[in-house]
Amino acid sequence: MSEVVIIGGGATGVAVLRDLALRGIPAVLVERDDLASGASGRNHGLLHSGGRYAVIDPVAAAECAQENAILRRIAPWAVEPCGGLFVEVGADDPGYVPEWVLACRKAGIEAEEISPQAALEQEPRLNPGVVRAFRVPDAAVDSFRLVYGTAAAAQSLGARVYTKTEVTGLVVEGNRVTGVRLADIPTGEQWILDAELVINAAGAWAGRVAAMAGISLPVVPDRGTLVVYNSRLANRVINRLRLPGDGDIVVPVGTVTIAGTTAVSIDDPDDTRVPPAEVEQVVALVAQMLPELKDRRRLRSFTGVRPLFDPGEAVDAGTDRAGSAAGVSSLATRQLSRNYAVIDHARRDGVAGLVSLLGGKLTTHRLMAEKAVNLAVARLGVRAGCRTATEPIPAPPPVREERTTAGGGAIVCECERVPAEDVLQVAQGLARIDLGVLRRRARVGMGTCQGAFCGYRTVGILHSRGLVEGLQAETLLCDFLRERLRGMGPAPDGYQLRQAELARAIYTGNLNLDLGTGKGGS
Amino acid sequence: MPASHIRRLADYDVVVIGAGLSGFMAAAAARARARSVLVIAQGLGVLPLTTGCVDVLADPADPWAALSRLVERLPAHPYSLAGLAAVRRGIDYFLGTCESYGYPFALAPGRNLLLPTLLGTLRPTCYAPTTMASGDLVNTTLQTAGTVLVVGFEGLLDFHPGLVVEGLRRRLPEVRLESTSVALPLPAENDNTPAMYLATCFDKPEYRKLFASRLEASLRGRFGTGRTNPDVVLLPAVLGLDDPVAAARDLEHRLGARVAEVPLLPPSIPGVRLATLWRRHLLRAGVDLVLDARVIGAGSARGRITHVDAQGAGGTARYGGKAFVLATGGLAGNGLCLEGSRLREPVFDLRMAPDVRPGTGSGPGILAGPDLRPPGYDNLFACGRILSGYDPYAEKCGNGVAIATGWRAGELAAGEAEGGAGGGASD
């Protein structure tokens, strides 16, 4: 039997890979960039309690509640169980609250009301005008580590992962997809992978993959803009207690706080430009919940592209289970379903050997993968139950040993306290060194200096251990700094301007590198 | 506190706001004209962010010839506002003063020095402290014979000798390059070895002796028959704060090779040395310094600044002056701040300049006329990074512009305080 090929290395793709591996089905995952480089790594880092969806999408809400509990069990190392608050501030519709309380109860979400005073004691930066507050079991999640850990778990069971590998076409024989055409991006080398079944988990790019088999899929790339602050400005996740909208979630994750977001449908999912107006909009809105966010130090802003879909078009004979907001076909993307659909193209389009996953969100990615693999095993004629909800996922590197503070090893990044050991641990497991991967996995360059200090140290350490050669070190460093500078550009605050100035002073001024930063150049 | 309750502490001929390189130069220029001078500063300037060299312009051929052309071509460039003659006067004074404190600078006649960086790139600069100048590998006999040894310290993450060697090899293929790392006694409680700590170590002869012996041990046999020593040793720029020239000479003697420092990531020790040297010089010259004080307000009458109010640890005090110099720096030095989405000069609320050289990376700055006067006040002069119209990083002219415009602003302020026109020195 040949293998199942999964297209897309986001949370869903790796969860499908692990699910197949646990059921003993040979599987390969191909990803054109790095794992978690799409929406799975470009989000709030929020493990939803489900409260956000309780009123508008009760099925999604109940699924969030279940999956939240499952992820805490199977990947505790990726979850920061900080809890969450839903807060009603002045000007919010008080009529929404009783409806929300009832919906939470129905969805099985524990929402416990606390007094405004108690909320302010627990979250001193909250708007003092908070009217009502509810505690919910939200959590922060390191989505990078979750994705890497899930992939590594699958690999330890024999599954394979090819990153920097782009799908250039599908092999279609008659009315059946039998393989994928691939290109290794760094070398340009082309090859074909035979597939028993192809699972399209390409997120916002899923429409492009389906089009390679002549199939039209109603994917709506939907941009969300997020703003990163340099410290933890809340103890728990803060949600606005009203109908979901823009700028209504603030998540403390690791050493930073991520605030967002917006929802704007776009044409090109590769467009990661950050519109300054959206940054300003997010800051203004989240500051209604936490007024200090107006002036606190920002690190950068970024966008993620949600793979929304129009259930009105997706729901038909081929759909295993569509989003519960089915029937809504307005292009106002806030009204499109945040739920998901697993599409069997044999039934929907008469093309066998291809299954697509549409929509979805980080919190419920495991469940969506389970449904897709259930369909896959039925198609493959295999009997094997899903074990992903109970089998724990081992933590991926860098796994920090218990360290004593004295002589704890050199620190590459003082902002995030990243030891050189972590960088090396991750780098040694990579076939190809990529500072973006080191950043996502070891958090180098994530913090306040945005790579200005740790950038040089990282390439220096890699070079001294023979992991990169000199020219490569220089190229990696320049690319890394350009990318970091780009994220400081849109609607910067004073700190970002100063930080970017410092980076230019060091690298363009003192090291004479041409970073060609937007305005720069020599 | 209501303005009327602020105590007027003292009056000066010239009040300089800011204690970075341009503020130091302005104070020195005014003091050299026998004016009473006060420097008020919130911080200690951004000299430690620089390499501690004096860049004039990046032009690899002749930076001074390039400067003459630039002044013709770009009238809004800070160099042009200062005027070529003042640039020379300022730099001469800077170099002479540094030398008189035992910290001389060197140059390569008719061209820029090309000094190695911690990445193994080459960086053009016009004047470098002698502790760095031997790093200029371009015009030496090394191209035909000789070896450059790049030495790192184990545990110092901010300098990777192997990376330096590979970078230099690509740029200077004819030079023979080697690298090594030396283990030195380091503070065990520190995760990273701070350059500042190493610099204080290298102030001590016994530490230098230890370093030299460990280096020699690690090199034994490395340089083969007939040779035991490299010709040039490149080291992280941590050779002391007190007397780096003597420290370098001592090491040269011990190692039998020329020694050159390579500046590290900020805070750079050579930058710290300059800040210390100039603070000492101003105090010795009779300039008053009020540090850790922020100017929070100013008074003016008939288009002239009359006083500034400075808030420090002891409260708020008022300082009167006949002329004022604004040397508060750019974004990195906090001379400009962002209010909402608008950049602002917070002391006098001066007008920001339009971007006169779009697409060149010239940073934001205030508008200033040909005599460095921001519009609105007759007795105010601006200098250094707060000026617009240049890109210190790509053009390689940061410290050069700071010295030139600082010196010129000090001259003009001294002239203004005297009641005369111009700065006394004619251009």
Side-chain angles (χ1 to χ4, degrees):
Chain A
M1 172 167 112
S2 64
E3 301 159 310
V4 175
V5 176
I6 299 141
I7 300 172
T12 308
V14 297
V16 170
L17 187 73
R18 171 169 171 262
D19 196 329
L20 287 165
L22 281 169
R23 299 194 211 201
I25 300 164
V28 186
L29 183 145
V30 293
E31 160 60 46
R32 91 184 169 156
D33 194 349
D34 180 38
L35 297 180
S37 56
S40 300
R42 306 176 71 87
N43 57 63
H44 260 118
L46 168 58
L47 194 58
H48 280 284
S49 60
R52 182 176 179 78
Y53 306 105
V55 170
I56 57 158
D57 196 340
V59 175
E63 286 176 353
C64 279
Q66 283 165 28
E67 289 299 308
N68 179 311
I70 290 171
L71 278 173
R72 286 169 193 254
R73 278 202 310 273
I74 62 171
W77 41 266
V79 178
E80 203 184 322
C82 55
L85 276 184
F86 273 76
V87 294
E88 179 197 343
V89 294
D92 289 343
D93 170 18
Y96 179 72
V97 179
E99 191 186 353
W100 180 81
V101 170
L102 191 64
C104 282
R105 196 173 307 144
K106 280 188 186 158
I109 300 160
E110 298 165 38
E112 176 206 342
E113 179 153 25
I114 59 173
S115 69
Q117 295 91 313
L120 283 163
E121 271 165 31
Q122 291 169 19
E123 293 294 341
R125 292 191 176 90
L126 264 186
N127 183 340
V130 55
V131 183
R132 298 184 75 175
F134 293 82
R135 291 171 61 158
V136 295
D138 282 337
V141 58
D142 184 334
S143 54
F144 299 119
R145 293 200 82 214
L146 179 62
V147 170
Y148 289 115
T150 306
Q155 284 170 295
S156 73
L157 296 167
R160 285 173 296 147
V161 173
Y162 296 100
T163 55
K164 301 278 176 199
T165 300
E166 183 160 34
V167 175
T168 57
L170 295 174
V171 182
V172 184
E173 290 171 17
N175 56 4
R176 179 171 194 89
V177 175
T178 60
V180 290
R181 291 177 208 283
L182 299 168
D184 181 67
I185 292 175
T187 62
E189 192 189 322
Q190 314 251 337
W191 52 299
I192 288 178
L193 200 54
D194 292 336
E196 190 81 7
L197 179 72
V198 173
I199 298 183
N200 171 15
W205 294 265
R208 292 188 182 175
V209 172
M212 292 171 179
I215 295 166
S216 165
L217 266 189
V219 179
V220 183
D222 186 57
R223 177 179 64 217
T225 293
L226 297 113
V227 179
V228 189
Y229 291 83
N230 85 323
S231 54
R232 289 175 71 92
L233 297 170
N235 297 314
R236 40 183 78 59
V237 179
I238 310 290
N239 304 268
R240 187 91 178 244
L241 184 46
R242 64 176 183 191
L243 273 174
D246 289 347
D248 54 5
I249 300 178
V250 176
V251 183
V253 49
T255 57
V256 301
T257 301
I258 303 181
T261 171
T262 55
V264 177
S265 79
I266 56 174
D267 297 327
D268 179 7
D270 288 319
D271 182 0
T272 54
R273 280 176 302 176
V274 181
E278 286 186 35
V279 174
E280 282 161 13
Q281 186 193 357
V282 165
V283 170
L285 284 166
V286 293
Q288 292 174 7
M289 297 189 290
L290 297 157
E292 276 185 35
L293 293 187
K294 221 176 185 52
D295 304 312
R296 291 305 292 244
R297 180 169 186 167
R298 292 182 227 154
L299 293 181
R300 58 193 287 109
S301 46
F302 65 94
T303 62
V305 181
R306 301 177 190 94
L308 298 192
F309 67 103
D310 189 335
E313 282 183 53
V315 176
D316 59 29
T319 307
D320 175 62
R321 201 189 65 69
S324 50
V328 182
S329 59
S330 156
L331 273 179
T333 55
R334 280 278 178 226
Q335 291 166 36
L336 290 187
S337 178
R338 296 298 154 91
N339 226 336
Y340 56 85
V342 177
I343 294 178
D344 181 357
H345 292 289
R347 285 167 63 196
R348 181 180 184 262
D349 307 287
V351 178
L354 181 66
V355 168
S356 288
L357 286 84
L358 280 190
K361 53 183 156 293
L362 185 63
T363 304
T364 54
H365 74 283
R366 189 212 60 84
L367 180 62
M368 177 159 140
E370 178 180 338
K371 305 243 176 185
V373 177
N374 286 345
L375 174 63
V377 294
R379 284 283 159 197
L380 296 168
V382 181
R383 273 171 182 273
C386 177
R387 290 162 54 202
T388 56
T390 49
E391 204 69 36
I393 304 172
V399 181
R400 299 199 184 177
E401 306 285 326
E402 284 300 319
R403 283 200 183 89
T404 56
T405 44
I411 297 290
V412 175
C413 161
E414 279 119 352
C415 312
E416 292 271 335
R417 301 294 294 171
V418 180
E421 187 57 37
D422 279 13
V423 173
L424 290 169
Q425 220 187 88
V426 172
Q428 276 153 359
L430 298 179
R432 204 181 287 120
I433 300 289
D434 178 336
L435 293 196
V437 178
L438 287 174
R439 176 173 64 77
R440 291 188 281 272
R441 296 182 63 162
R443 296 195 67 79
V444 170
M446 286 278 198
T448 304
C449 85
Q450 290 287 289
F453 290 84
C454 53
Y456 173 77
R457 291 173 187 159
T458 299
V459 296
I461 286 172
L462 296 176
H463 183 268
S464 68
R465 298 298 177 97
L467 291 164
V468 296
E469 54 86 28
L471 180 59
Q472 189 190 2
E474 214 173 292
T475 312
L476 288 171
L477 180 59
C478 286
D479 291 346
F480 184 63
L481 291 165
R482 281 190 201 106
E483 186 274 332
R484 294 283 90 187
L485 280 167
R486 208 164 59 91
M488 290 187 256
D493 71 359
Y495 294 108
Q496 286 169 297
L497 285 178
R498 291 177 66 190
Q499 197 60 52
E501 177 93 355
L502 176 62
R504 287 201 71 223
I506 296 173
Y507 290 97
T508 307
N510 300 355
L511 299 187
N512 202 21
L513 293 177
D514 183 6
L515 296 180
T517 61
K519 301 177 65 181
S522 45
Chain B
M1 153 180 344
S4 57
H5 293 158
I6 297 175
R7 195 157 63 98
R8 192 176 185 108
L9 263 192
D11 289 279
Y12 290 85
D13 291 331
V14 176
V15 175
V16 177
I17 307 164
L21 185 53
S22 70
F24 288 147
M25 293 304 294
R31 189 67 199 132
R33 279 160 171 66
R35 298 292 167 268
S36 62
V37 180
L38 170 70
V39 174
I40 307 173
Q42 183 182 5
L44 290 174
V46 296
L47 265 172
L49 300 188
T50 76
T51 57
C53 297
V54 180
D55 305 344
V56 172
L57 271 182
D59 195 298
D62 182 345
W64 281 97
L67 181 61
S68 302
R69 292 194 299 274
L70 176 140
V71 168
E72 297 288 308
R73 208 177 71 242
L74 298 170
H77 197 286
Y79 274 138
S80 310
L81 301 183
L84 209 48
V87 179
R88 286 212 184 259
R89 285 196 300 275
I91 288 180
D92 284 349
Y93 183 88
F94 174 90
L95 297 174
T97 304
C98 287
E99 182 151 15
S100 74
Y101 282 85
Y103 194 59
F105 279 64
L107 76 162
R111 68 173 177 90
N112 266 320
L113 298 162
L114 276 177
L115 299 183
T117 72
L118 70 168
L119 199 57
T121 51
L122 294 173
R123 175 181 187 285
T125 190
C126 200
Y127 305 96
T130 53
T131 59
M132 288 185 210
S134 299
D136 180 49
L137 306 176
V138 176
N139 201 26
T140 62
T141 50
L142 291 165
Q143 305 216 11
T144 47
T147 303
V148 177
L149 176 68
V150 185
V151 181
F153 305 142
E154 279 172 24
L156 179 65
L157 288 185
D158 290 354
F159 189 80
H160 294 272
L163 197 56
V164 177
V165 163
E166 272 201 57
L168 290 177
R169 231 172 236 154
R170 284 198 307 281
R171 291 164 176 97
L172 302 167
E174 56 288 340
V175 177
R176 199 173 146 212
L177 293 145
E178 305 260 353
S179 70
T180 189
S181 280
V182 174
L184 284 170
L186 298 171
E189 70 275 18
N190 268 306
D191 296 329
N192 287 354
T193 307
M196 196 66 91
Y197 171 84
L198 285 168
T200 57
C201 290
F202 273 91
D203 277 331
K204 301 180 192 104
E206 59 273 23
Y207 200 86
R208 298 197 292 264
K209 184 178 169 193
L210 177 73
F211 167 74
S213 68
R214 295 220 175 149
L215 176 57
E216 240 158 83
S218 91
L219 292 182
R220 208 155 288 148
R222 188 89 176 261
F223 288 89
T225 49
R227 301 194 64 100
T228 50
N229 289 320
D231 298 84
V232 175
V233 174
L234 297 182
L235 286 168
V238 294
L239 298 187
L241 288 164
D242 293 344
D243 192 349
V245 173
R249 203 177 299 132
D250 177 40
L251 278 180
E252 290 189 333
H253 176 71
R254 291 178 190 280
L255 299 173
R258 275 175 293 155
V259 161
E261 293 185 299
V262 177
L264 301 182
L265 293 173
S268 89
I269 298 302
V272 173
R273 286 174 196 150
L274 282 181
T276 311
L277 185 159
W278 279 89
R279 216 153 48 233
R280 194 189 306 161
H281 174 62
L282 293 184
L283 286 172
R284 195 178 288 179
V287 171
D288 286 348
L289 259 61
V290 173
L291 300 179
D292 293 324
R294 192 162 65 94
V295 173
I296 55 165
S300 67
R302 292 183 302 280
R304 296 179 71 82
I305 309 281
T306 53
H307 63 264
V308 291
D309 296 330
Q311 188 179 49
T316 302
R318 177 160 296 173
Y319 299 96
K322 293 177 183 162
F324 293 80
V325 175
L326 183 67
T328 45
L331 288 166
N334 259 347
L336 298 176
C337 64
L338 198 69
E339 277 186 11
S341 57
R342 198 173 73 92
L343 268 175
R344 202 176 152 251
E345 183 284 301
V347 178
F348 300 107
D349 199 16
L350 299 172
R351 269 169 64 195
M352 298 295 295
D355 190 356
V356 289
R357 297 169 63 199
T360 60
S362 68
I366 58 155
L367 198 64
D371 48 5
L372 298 170
R373 269 195 185 94
Y377 301 106
D378 291 337
N379 64 339
L380 177 65
F381 304 88
C383 57
R385 186 66 181 122
I386 200 164
L387 296 169
S388 57
Y390 75 120
D391 178 350
Y393 313 122
E395 291 171 12
K396 304 283 180 292
C397 63
N399 283 349
V401 163
I403 291 170
T405 58
W407 185 258
R408 183 62 183 151
E411 286 180 344
L412 290 163
E416 183 67 36
E418 199 181 28
S426 56
D427 289 322

